[in-house]
Amino acid sequence: MVLKFCGNIRQRCTKQLLFVLFYAVGFLLVAQNNPKNLHELLDSKVFLAPKMYWEPSKDQGEIKALFFETLDYKGKPTRAFTYLGIPKSNTPVPAMVLVHGGGGRAFHEWVKIWNDRGYAAIAMSLEGFMPNETGQGKFTYEYSGPQRVGQFDDIDVPLTEQWMYHAVSDILIAHSLLAKMPEVDATRIGITGISWGGILSSLVSGIDDRLKCAIPVYGAGFLHESKGHFGVFRSNNKFIEEKKFWDPANQFKTGSVPTLWVNGDSDAHFSLNITSKSFQVTENHAYMTIHPSMKHGHPPGWKPEEVPEIYAFADAILKKTELPFGRIVKQPKGRRINLKYTSEVPITEATVYYLNEELTYRKEPDAKHPQPSNWQKMTAIVDDRKQTVCAKLPKGAKTYYVNLKDSRGFIISSTLVQL
């Protein structure tokens, strides 16, 4: 009798434990599938200035090295290695948060580009690394945080242990750090990110309304729809719905931060269709610039001579030293292109880039990743008095977009059209 009684007790306890575990897992999955909950799921500390630890041995000239406290990871305190640069000024300056891509690090070179243009800038390592004294290399340290695991491949661990949770939090903390510095104008802070940094910066633009502009490069929303390398996770059914929790579109589609989407038309990771779709759901406060055959990488995504629109967009919003970008008010559709735009700066030329097939990615024998076939191009007719662009597509064309170039050389791009 005693053994039977004890067995019943164990059975009831086991059932209760299983119920608790089932409830906990269920709560996590529900939370992760509710795109409106991310702001509430973040720790309130991310909106407060963190404690800083200066690291002068790793300074790069006028650009200072430091660690700032971030959220605990698995019960362990963590700190993010960071470069911070503030140009000399008699008045508070605008600032940019710089978010590196996958496998990247805190780039002091990137900070300097913005410093030279009159901006304060902060670049932090999001993958738990610090550099050596020359600013190169990637080394773990006592307070290293989590490292990225594939494409959301840590989705099965608790939310607060996932890399994306900490990366988003670190970015918000970096913004909070900048905003509390007396040399920085807290009302003029923007963000830009490259590749994975484009994913993160676009996501953060939907939850941090303190930002005054966002410039995601390559990375965008609707990631599982990418025809490039980043879309491969859609073929992995394990936790695919949970992985979609981290798609930036869940956040930025309800945001209002002025945004410039930047990409190439043949990017191997983030195909043009998802950049265009990201632009479409933010169109009332967004712009898009597509550079033909733009290479993928950190320098191609930040060099002023290659992507001048990034700096002109920031200057127009944060410094008011550039005229605003033009806006396409009637997007093209069909074979007869009749596009309308508004622009304070004359549009000097328009070019149609097209494919004689649907946007399709193929892997060439010597290529690392699949890419689309070569885009063809044709000149369109610009009537700057009427602010219209007209063209007639060749019969075989099935996919296209239109680039307008203003007298400053800045590109404004239409949405992608697939016939």
Side-chain angles (χ1 to χ4, degrees):
M1 291 292 291
V2 174
L3 291 174
K4 184 176 181 181
F5 176 79
C6 292
N8 289 338
I9 291 291
R10 284 198 299 271
Q11 189 176 26
R12 284 200 297 271
C13 289
T14 300
K15 287 182 178 178
Q16 289 175 345
L17 178 60
L18 289 173
F19 175 80
V20 170
L21 289 172
F22 178 81
Y23 180 83
V25 172
F27 174 80
L28 176 62
L29 294 182
V30 169
Q32 289 182 233
N33 278 292
N34 187 346
K36 297 181 181 179
N37 278 345
L38 180 56
H39 195 283
E40 289 77 13
L41 291 170
L42 293 170
D43 192 308
S44 60
K45 293 178 183 177
V46 302
F47 296 104
L48 301 174
K51 186 173 182 180
M52 297 183 293
Y53 304 85
W54 299 99
E55 187 63 38
S57 67
K58 298 184 187 298
D59 288 353
Q60 305 299 316
E62 294 299 314
I63 297 170
K64 305 303 179 184
L66 68 137
F67 294 88
F68 65 78
E69 287 188 350
T70 56
L71 303 183
D72 288 358
Y73 175 60
K74 295 183 177 181
K76 182 190 103 173
T78 65
R79 300 174 187 174
F81 177 81
T82 302
Y83 284 119
L84 173 67
I86 303 177
K88 294 178 181 178
S89 174
N90 294 325
T91 57
V93 297
M96 292 294 293
V97 180
L98 312 180
V99 188
H100 68 74
R105 54 181 171 82
F107 290 100
H108 59 88
E109 307 95 316
W110 200 3
V111 172
K112 187 176 188 307
I113 289 172
W114 285 96
N115 288 173
D116 290 346
R117 301 184 71 89
Y119 290 81
I122 189 168
M124 56 282 152
S125 172
L126 298 177
E127 297 192 4
F129 295 114
M130 68 175 181
N132 59 22
E133 285 70 19
T134 66
Q136 306 301 312
K138 296 187 295 183
F139 306 92
T140 57
Y141 49 97
E142 181 182 359
Y143 295 98
S144 290
Q147 296 178 12
R148 182 174 53 84
V149 185
Q151 295 177 341
F152 316 114
D153 290 350
D154 56 358
I155 200 72
D156 55 339
V157 303
L159 184 72
T160 56
E161 292 181 13
Q162 293 174 28
W163 177 76
M164 280 290 288
Y165 182 86
H166 285 267
V168 168
S169 298
D170 290 359
I171 293 166
L172 293 167
I173 294 170
H175 183 175
S176 301
L177 185 158
L178 272 179
K180 285 297 183 180
M181 305 203 78
E183 303 94 335
V184 172
D185 184 344
T187 68
R188 294 190 291 157
I189 298 177
I191 188 170
T192 185
I194 294 172
S195 195
W196 266 99
I199 294 173
L200 287 160
S201 58
S202 63
L203 185 156
V204 168
S205 74
I207 60 175
D208 190 352
D209 58 10
R210 299 172 299 172
L211 291 166
K212 293 303 181 287
C213 70
I215 310 171
V217 185
Y218 311 116
F222 308 102
L223 296 170
H224 62 288
E225 297 180 31
S226 176
K227 298 178 183 296
H229 176 67
F230 207 93
V232 298
F233 89 77
R234 69 180 178 270
S235 63
N236 180 358
N237 292 323
K238 183 182 178 183
F239 302 118
I240 188 168
E241 290 304 317
E242 287 75 22
K243 288 182 178 185
K244 288 181 183 179
F245 169 74
W246 286 116
D247 192 287
N250 291 330
Q251 308 304 326
F252 66 62
K253 66 184 179 183
T254 57
S256 59
V257 174
T259 301
L260 175 65
W261 298 100
V262 182
N263 201 1
D265 60 12
S266 302
D267 190 75
H269 300 267
F270 305 95
S271 54
L272 181 51
N273 61 307
I274 69 169
T275 310
S276 182
K277 190 170 181 178
S278 297
F279 165 73
Q280 285 176 295
V281 301
T282 56
E283 192 169 5
N284 66 339
H285 59 272
Y287 303 79
M288 182 168 60
T289 180
I290 304 301
H291 282 249
S293 304
M294 180 180 176
K295 293 181 180 179
H296 189 98
H298 285 101
W302 74 42
K303 285 185 176 180
E305 62 272 22
E306 294 190 20
V307 277
E309 294 84 1
I310 290 173
Y311 302 93
F313 187 72
D315 287 349
I317 293 176
L318 301 180
K319 296 172 73 175
K320 309 296 184 186
T321 56
E322 280 280 4
L323 287 172
F325 279 22
R327 181 179 293 279
I328 297 173
V329 295
K330 180 185 175 183
Q331 293 286 345
K333 60 181 181 179
R335 294 192 171 279
R336 289 188 175 273
I337 298 169
N338 291 291
L339 175 154
K340 291 186 179 180
Y341 64 88
T342 60
S343 180
E344 295 181 43
V345 181
I347 299 298
T348 58
E349 62 181 82
T351 306
V352 181
Y353 294 87
Y354 67 93
L355 298 171
N356 292 322
E357 61 179 3
E358 293 183 3
L359 182 61
T360 303
Y361 271 53
R362 302 180 184 86
K363 191 175 185 302
E364 297 298 328
D366 296 330
K368 185 176 181 181
H369 298 300
Q371 287 184 294
S373 55
N374 292 329
W375 292 82
Q376 300 184 58
K377 65 179 181 178
M378 59 179 288
T379 300
I381 299 171
V382 179
D383 187 331
D384 202 47
R385 183 178 62 83
K386 294 181 179 179
Q387 296 197 317
T388 61
V389 172
C390 299
K392 184 179 179 181
L393 281 177
K395 288 184 179 180
K398 293 185 178 180
T399 304
Y400 71 91
Y401 70 95
V402 184
N403 272 355
L404 312 185
K405 185 176 288 188
D406 69 23
S407 59
R408 299 170 294 186
F410 302 149
I411 293 172
I412 310 159
S413 300
S414 78
T415 54
L416 180 72
V417 180
Q418 301 199 68
L419 300 172

